[in-house]
């Protein structure tokens, strides 16, 4: 049976409180801070991440490459779970593939552990699978 009172949720763009709204609404006005938050179109996939600056839970439209926190204004990279990166082994130079965001990767050929991250950013390449 169809529920005529179907509701959905989103995070307030002003105060970060959870807002409940009727399905079909195009925007929601927060009762706490009066900020008007746009409702994503129906069928839009949402994702979440924790802000690296203030540790606030952020909600964003899946596929975005970065998300700016409305609390501390930190710009956070929004990396999908299926993104991988490549780096050459620090010992034998074999091309290694690893989950993007990892701190190190162990070579299966020579067992050398190559550090990745900010210091390896010149040799690191990101690919989406």
């Amino acid at each position: 049976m169809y529920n005529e009172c179907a509701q959905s949720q989103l995070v307030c763009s002003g105060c970060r409180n959870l807002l409940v709204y009727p399905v079909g609404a195009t925007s929601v006005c927060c009762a706490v801070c009066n900020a008007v938050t746009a409702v994503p179109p129906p069928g839009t996939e949402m994702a979440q991440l924790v802000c690296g600056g203030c540790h606030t839970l952020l909600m964003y439209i899946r596929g975005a490459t970065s998300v700016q926190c409305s609390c501390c204004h930190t710009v956070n990279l929004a990396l999908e779970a299926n993104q991988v990166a490549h780096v050459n082994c620090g010992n034998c130079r074999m091309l290694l593939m690893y989950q993007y965001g990892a701190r190190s990767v162990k070579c299966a050929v020579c067992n050398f552990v190559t550090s990745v991250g900010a210091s390896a950013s010149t040799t690191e390449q990101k690919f989406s699978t």
Side-chain angles (χ1 to χ4, degrees):
M1 184 173 147
Y2 176 72
N3 183 355
E4 292 184 23
C5 299
Q7 296 181 330
S8 193
Q9 302 174 346
L10 59 72
V11 177
C12 174
S13 61
C15 66
R16 312 302 300 162
N17 278 319
L18 188 63
L19 305 176
V20 178
Y21 64 93
V23 171
T26 56
S27 61
V28 184
C29 182
C30 179
V32 175
C33 71
N34 292 321
V36 176
T37 303
V39 174
T44 302
E45 272 193 76
M46 301 301 288
Q48 298 176 340
L49 62 80
V50 176
C51 176
C54 66
H55 305 291
T56 299
L57 181 65
L58 305 177
M59 184 178 283
Y60 62 96
I61 295 174
R62 187 172 301 282
T65 56
S66 62
V67 181
Q68 184 172 17
C69 179
S70 62
C71 297
C72 70
H73 306 290
T74 298
V75 176
N76 298 272
L77 291 178
L79 303 174
E80 293 295 327
N82 64 348
Q83 287 182 331
V84 295
H86 292 87
V87 67
N88 290 321
C89 173
N91 184 48
C92 71
R93 307 301 297 159
M94 175 69 73
L95 184 63
L96 307 174
M97 182 172 67
Y98 62 95
Q99 183 69 35
Y100 193 78
R103 295 181 183 166
S104 62
V105 59
K106 184 177 181 179
C107 180
V109 175
C110 71
N111 293 321
F112 185 82
V113 176
T114 303
S115 294
V116 294
S119 61
S121 61
T122 56
T123 58
E124 199 172 326
Q125 296 177 324
K126 182 178 72 171
F127 296 91
S128 186
T129 56

